[in-house]
Amino acid sequence: MDILLGLQWGDEGKGKIVDFLAPKYDVVARFQGGPNAGHTLFFDGLKHVLHQIPSGIFRPAIQNVVGNGVVLDALILKKEIEALQKLNVDVKKSLFFSKKAQLILPTHRILDAAQEKAKGSNKIGSTLKGISPTYQDKIGRSGLRLGDTLYPNFKERYQAIKAKHLEGLGDLPADFAQTEQEFFDAIEFLKEFKMIESEYFVDDAIKANKKVLAEGAQGTLLDIDFGSYPFVTSSNTVSAGACTGLGVAPNKIKEVFGIFKAYCTRVGSGPFPTELEDETGESLRKFGGEFGATTGRPRRCGWLDLPALNYAVMINGVTQLFMMKTDVLTPFDEIKVCTHYKLEDGTITDRLPHDIVTQKIEPIYKTFKGWEDIAEGITSFEELPKNLQTYIQFIEENVGAAITLVSFGPERNATLMKDELQVV
Ligand code: GDP
Ligand code: IMO
Ligand code: MG
């Protein structure tokens, strides 16, 4: 099994590249996160945003698996599936759900909003999809799983959890009864889809020599353990999460594709050492179209952060780097890269300190010359603009992994691989 995951704060372009690589694979599987994700695919002049459905869904031969590590919102899922069916995607044939995936209940979303409100100015900037309360119930051993919907006591169990949630909530919204009815309708709708033991499913696929690609959501710097805690999401977004989120043993992992933007973005609150709160940041947002695919919020923008990238490469065991959105930097004459941090006590380091939340960090930059547009139809890295080649080489030398894919536009065909990908 190979893994493709984000090395920054999410939105690196995972959806685009999973869709691009999918023809090399038989199975694409999500292993964590839920509707907080927004993965954009762009082909035949049309844009598609997927939240809970793996990005292999538009390739008819692919089996798409939603693993046990995912938290599922049935209401959002029903809408996503119906939208795909309108496009004649045969979702019933190609979509498989783990019976162990946790369910996001309507009260989880209300709790998410209440918990964010209670944090006041320390709010996380959650997508308010109920992610944190659902994972809290999972870890608290009181969550409901998709497979539980198949038992006659499902509604009873639902009511018990809802009663527990209500203890921590005031009044429910006036339209809650309607939302609840829609939730139960969506659960019935989902029962028409394939619910599987995804750990056996993936294991059988690997044993049959089928190629499996695990698709990460969010990014390494949002990981619950290794991200900028507490400004993180509530799951393990790193490669180890693919093992627990799918039931695949670590020795089955082959390639780990780490995907990053040629600069940095972050949506929501939390530390961002290279953030540019000036005209340059504004230009990055404008040229990069940096607005959230799930919430529409403007993304915060800044230069590439090598200490953070290095850390992400280490934690994930990245074997190949994919660099995205190189076209967005073409309007800039000068491009900066943070190589080190200066800490409050004057220490200069290329390592990510354990606390980047309360400690003020000053990035130390190296400046590069900008590059011209990438010519359409080029077939090799040697044909990339010289200054971009210099940029690539510098990152490779400092991060210790090769950049084997460069993306220069949202469409499938604005992608250049160094060599044809061999999936073993
Ligand atoms: P994901 O969450 O990692 O799948 O990424 P998102 O879909 O949230 O955000 C990536 C955005 O960048 C989307 O709007 C993509 O269409 C777009 N995109 C991806 N690759 C490129 C690229 O190389 N150049 C440009 N200009 N846009 C890109
Ligand atoms: P994809 O898969 C970018 C951010 C939120 C918030 C924090 C916690 O599209 O890359 P949550 O709703 O998970 O409790 O929010 O994490 N966040 C993302 N940022 N891309 C995502 O997903 C994200 N999913 C969550 O903005 O700061
Ligand atoms: Mg996204």
Side-chain angles (χ1 to χ4, degrees):
M1 183 173 88
D2 297 341
I3 306 173
L4 182 142
L5 47 73
L7 299 179
Q8 296 164 322
W9 281 287
D11 302 330
E12 296 90 350
K14 298 174 291 292
K16 168 182 163 163
I17 298 301
V18 170
D19 168 64
F20 174 78
L21 294 180
K24 302 267 181 198
Y25 291 88
D26 303 292
V27 178
V28 173
R30 281 276 306 268
F31 55 90
Q32 45 69 236
N36 48 351
H39 294 184
T40 314
L41 285 61
F42 209 109
F43 55 88
D44 300 339
L46 285 178
K47 176 175 147 177
H48 309 273
V49 180
L50 296 168
H51 299 285
Q52 303 181 91
I53 295 179
S55 301
I57 199 72
F58 288 100
R59 307 284 195 173
I62 303 276
Q63 294 179 312
N64 292 273
V65 173
V66 175
N68 57 279
V70 170
V71 290
L72 272 184
D73 185 315
L75 274 162
I76 298 178
L77 196 54
K78 179 168 179 275
K79 287 189 189 130
E80 269 196 272
I81 290 174
E82 285 170 346
L84 288 168
Q85 286 174 328
K86 276 203 189 118
L87 298 170
N88 293 323
V89 177
D90 193 350
V91 194
K92 280 209 170 133
K93 178 178 142 251
S94 57
L95 193 53
F96 302 79
F97 295 101
S98 166
K99 287 182 190 159
K100 293 192 172 79
Q102 293 276 328
L103 288 177
I104 301 178
L105 307 180
T107 39
H108 281 134
R109 276 194 281 163
I110 300 171
L111 279 170
D112 203 358
Q115 290 175 3
E116 276 283 82
K117 198 165 168 223
K119 285 194 161 82
S121 60
N122 292 323
K123 72 174 176 138
I124 308 296
S126 147
T127 58
L128 302 180
K129 302 290 179 199
I131 304 297
S132 162
T134 307
Y135 279 118
Q136 287 173 42
D137 273 347
K138 173 180 178 176
I139 301 303
R141 299 173 293 192
S142 55
L144 279 176
R145 309 198 283 185
L146 187 59
D148 296 334
T149 62
L150 303 172
Y151 293 100
N153 66 351
F154 174 67
K155 278 202 176 162
E156 229 171 89
R157 292 185 60 193
Y158 166 84
Q159 292 301 346
I161 294 174
K162 179 180 151 192
K164 194 185 103 206
H165 289 167
L166 289 182
E167 288 167 17
L169 288 170
D171 290 336
L172 289 171
D175 61 353
F176 186 76
Q178 193 192 330
T179 308
E180 202 168 43
Q181 189 50 52
E182 284 168 9
F183 168 74
F184 284 116
D185 291 347
I187 292 288
E188 286 310 307
F189 174 83
L190 284 189
K191 285 184 186 167
E192 295 168 23
F193 289 79
K194 293 178 190 125
M195 294 192 201
I196 56 166
E197 326 281 335
S198 61
E199 54 278 40
Y200 282 114
F201 185 96
V202 174
D203 189 57
D204 288 343
I206 293 172
K207 282 188 178 134
N209 204 24
K210 287 190 181 167
K211 314 296 180 208
V212 182
L213 179 64
E215 172 182 3
Q218 291 78 57
T220 303
L221 304 176
L222 287 170
D223 180 271
I224 184 73
D225 283 281
F226 302 106
S228 44
Y229 192 87
F231 299 98
V232 292
T233 191
S234 299
S235 64
N236 279 119
T237 60
V238 296
S239 54
C243 295
T244 56
L246 286 170
V248 175
N251 61 358
K252 298 282 191 320
I253 310 297
K254 301 253 165 50
E255 298 289 331
V256 179
F257 306 122
I259 179 164
F260 69 104
K261 286 179 190 171
Y263 51 97
C264 275
T265 65
R266 169 164 207 167
V267 60
S269 338
F272 182 174
T274 61
E275 182 171 14
L276 295 164
E277 292 175 279
D278 57 8
E279 270 175 29
T280 312
E282 193 57 50
S283 301
L284 278 171
R285 183 158 40 250
K286 196 170 114 207
F287 301 142
E290 296 295 358
F291 296 89
T294 297
T295 58
R297 291 178 290 177
R299 294 176 183 147
R300 300 156 62 195
C301 297
W303 296 122
L304 187 64
D305 181 336
L306 283 188
L309 190 65
N310 236 314
Y311 181 77
V313 168
M314 172 184 81
I315 296 286
N316 292 301
V318 168
T319 59
Q320 299 188 40
L321 286 166
F322 294 170
M323 187 161 79
M324 309 298 290
K325 301 192 97 160
T326 50
D327 55 308
V328 174
L329 296 182
T330 51
F332 295 90
D333 294 332
E334 283 192 338
I335 290 156
K336 291 189 182 178
V337 173
C338 166
T339 59
H340 294 79
Y341 298 144
K342 186 169 179 195
L343 309 184
E344 270 175 9
D345 67 1
T347 311
I348 292 181
T349 179
D350 60 0
R351 292 191 166 201
L352 202 59
H354 101 273
D355 174 19
I356 62 169
V357 174
T358 55
Q359 178 172 212
K360 201 168 159 22
I361 281 176
E362 196 187 311
I364 298 175
Y365 290 110
K366 183 172 164 61
T367 304
F368 289 81
K369 288 208 185 86
W371 49 82
E372 61 272 27
D373 283 341
I374 296 173
E376 262 181 44
I378 61 166
T379 53
S380 75
F381 269 38
E382 288 71 40
E383 293 167 86
L384 288 171
K386 283 284 168 289
N387 291 347
L388 175 54
Q389 290 191 40
T390 307
Y391 193 73
I392 289 174
Q393 204 183 341
F394 182 79
I395 296 168
E396 289 182 333
E397 280 165 7
N398 281 269
V399 175
I403 295 177
T404 57
L405 181 149
V406 168
S407 171
F408 50 95
E411 311 82 12
R412 270 180 189 161
N413 58 6
T415 317
L416 181 66
M417 284 213 83
K418 199 165 197 171
D419 301 302
E420 174 90 357
L421 182 68
Q422 305 294 332
V423 183
V424 290

